[in-house]
Amino acid sequence: MEYIDYYKVLGINKNATEKEIKKAFRKLARKYHPDVNPGNKEAEKKFIQINEANEVLSNPENRKKYDKYGKDWMHAEEFEKAKQQYQQYQRQYSANTGHSYSSYDNEDFSEFFSSMFGGGFRSSDRTRAKFKGRDYHAELQLNLTDILKTQKQTITVNNKKIRLTIPSGVETGQEIKIKNHGEKVPEGGVNGDLYIKFNIVNNTVFKRDKSDLHLEVDLDLYKAILGGDLIVNTIDGKKLKLKVKPETQNNTKVKLKGKGLPVYKKEGQYGDLYIKYSIKIPTNLSPKEKELFTELSKLR
C-alpha cells in the first residue's frame, strides 16, 4: 500500500493536539467538500484523503500505531502477535532439538512475518516439531465501493495463490478462516490456518452505519419553501429524483428504503439511504431581492 503522510494531508505537525487535528480537518473538509467542488475529481480525491487522515489521527490508538508502523499501521496487532508466536516457536524449537537461541533473530522473524503478507517464506533445514502449525493472520483492505457486490479476489500467501470469495456488505473487523493455509508442518502434524480480517475504507461521501447509508444534501432556500424536484446520486452511481415538499425545514430527513448497502450474507437484502436536507441561505443579494424579502417579512 502506498504511504500517505496523514500529517501532511491535514497540514499539521506530528505534535499536533486533538483540538488542532479537528480544526485542520474541518477547515479542509469545507474547502474540498464535493458540494463545493461539483465534478472536480481532484477535490473529491483530496476530500477522501482528508477523511482518511482524520479517521486515523483523531483516534489516539490508531494514531499511536500509525506513528510507530507508518503505512503498515493496520498490521500493528498482527505484527505484535506474530512476534509473540515466533518467540514461542523458538522456545518449542529449543525444547525439541536441544539447541537454544541466545537472542532474538530479527532476520528469521522478518522471514516469518513476510510470509503472512505474501512475501514468501524461505525453507530452512530446521527440524519442525510435530505440532499444529502457526496460524497466519493478514488484513485485506477494500474500498466501500468494492463491497457492493460479492466478488472473487486472488491473494498470495507463502508464494501460493489463494482465490477468495468476498461477500457483499462485509464490514471492518469481520474475519474469514481458510483452513490449512497457515504454516505447513511435516507429516503427523496439523497445518495451521489462515485468518483474513477485512478493513473497509470509506472512499465515498456517504457515511456508513452497518448496511445503512447517510448523506447530507444542500437545499436552496427557494426549493425548501416552494418545493420541487431534486436529483441525488446513490452509492452505485445511479441518479434518483426526489420530490421536495413545500415548506421543508432544515435538517429534515428522508428515508429511501433499500438504497443502502447489501446486508452481509443476506442475499437480496439492502439497508436504507437517509438523506438530510441542509438549507442554504442565499448570499450577495441584489437590492431587488432585498426589497422582495423585506416585503415578505412585512406580510408575515
Side-chain angles (χ1 to χ4, degrees):
M1 179 174 63
E2 181 184 356
Y3 174 68
I4 300 175
D5 189 334
Y6 291 144
Y7 290 101
K8 188 175 180 180
V9 168
L10 295 181
I12 56 178
N13 61 49
K14 291 190 175 182
N15 297 320
T17 63
E18 289 185 26
K19 186 177 180 180
E20 289 171 333
I21 292 171
K22 185 181 293 185
K23 182 179 178 181
F25 166 70
R26 287 178 175 174
K27 180 180 178 181
L28 292 171
R30 284 195 297 269
K31 180 179 179 181
Y32 291 100
H33 196 284
D35 290 340
V36 181
N37 303 273
N40 188 330
K41 295 297 182 183
E42 285 301 315
E44 184 178 340
K45 182 180 178 182
K46 184 73 174 176
F47 182 74
I48 291 169
Q49 283 188 345
I50 292 165
N51 271 294
E52 187 177 319
N54 180 60
E55 285 181 11
V56 174
L57 299 184
S58 63
N59 183 308
E61 190 62 31
N62 286 344
R63 184 181 180 182
K64 184 179 178 182
K65 294 176 184 176
Y66 175 77
D67 288 343
K68 184 174 182 180
Y69 294 103
K71 69 182 180 65
D72 295 318
W73 72 271
M74 288 180 293
H75 298 307
E77 292 179 7
E78 285 81 2
F79 190 92
E80 293 298 331
K81 187 174 181 179
K83 193 173 183 179
Q84 293 173 4
Q85 289 178 329
Y86 188 73
Q87 289 172 327
Q88 182 181 2
Y89 171 74
Q90 288 180 324
R91 291 192 291 271
Q92 289 175 316
Y93 171 78
S94 299
N96 283 277
T97 65
H99 299 289
S100 61
Y101 286 91
S102 57
S103 63
Y104 185 73
D105 191 332
N106 285 318
E107 183 179 351
D108 285 343
F109 174 68
S110 296
E111 184 179 304
F112 162 65
F113 184 69
S114 67
S115 70
M116 297 172 60
F117 301 98
F121 186 79
R122 298 189 300 272
S123 299
S124 69
D125 294 329
R126 295 172 182 167
T127 302
R128 305 282 182 169
K130 292 186 177 182
F131 57 91
K132 186 180 186 298
R134 290 173 298 229
D135 293 332
Y136 291 164
H137 295 261
E139 189 170 275
L140 181 60
Q141 180 171 300
L142 299 169
N143 287 329
L144 188 60
T145 49
D146 292 331
I147 64 163
L148 301 181
K149 294 181 180 179
T150 296
Q151 61 163 299
K152 293 187 181 295
Q153 191 168 126
T154 301
I155 64 171
T156 302
V157 177
N158 231 13
N159 291 328
K160 182 176 181 180
K161 291 185 176 180
I162 302 173
R163 192 164 176 79
L164 304 176
T165 297
I166 302 172
S168 60
V170 67
E171 296 183 36
T172 292
Q174 288 179 328
E175 195 173 53
I176 60 173
K177 172 184 175 182
I178 305 177
K179 197 171 182 180
N180 295 326
H181 279 78
E183 182 189 28
K184 303 297 181 184
V185 295
E187 186 176 350
V190 179
N191 294 335
D193 302 316
L194 170 63
Y195 291 86
I196 297 179
K197 183 184 291 185
F198 293 100
N199 179 50
I200 311 302
V201 175
N202 191 344
N203 63 327
T204 74
V205 295
F206 297 87
K207 289 184 179 179
R208 182 184 189 182
D209 180 14
K210 296 183 179 178
S211 58
D212 292 333
L213 293 172
H214 297 261
L215 180 65
E216 187 170 313
V217 175
D218 288 344
L219 190 64
D220 67 70
L221 178 64
Y222 311 105
K223 192 167 290 183
I225 295 173
L226 302 173
D229 294 334
L230 181 69
I231 303 297
V232 297
N233 292 322
T234 57
I235 195 169
D236 58 2
K238 295 179 181 178
K239 295 183 181 297
L240 292 177
K241 181 187 285 187
L242 301 183
K243 288 286 185 183
V244 179
K245 295 180 180 180
E247 301 178 15
T248 292
Q249 300 298 306
N250 192 41
N251 294 328
T252 294
K253 287 186 178 180
V254 177
K255 175 181 175 181
L256 302 180
K257 190 171 179 62
K259 299 301 180 181
L261 293 171
V263 179
Y264 181 62
K265 288 192 174 180
K266 291 187 178 180
E267 193 69 30
Q269 293 188 33
Y270 292 83
D272 303 318
L273 170 59
Y274 292 87
I275 302 292
K276 184 172 81 170
Y277 293 133
S278 177
I279 298 176
K280 297 302 176 185
I281 304 299
T283 58
N284 301 319
L285 298 177
S286 68
K288 181 63 177 177
E289 287 174 319
K290 290 180 181 178
E291 181 183 337
L292 291 172
F293 274 113
T294 301
E295 288 298 320
L296 284 173
S297 67
K298 290 178 181 178
L299 290 174
R300 299 292 290 180

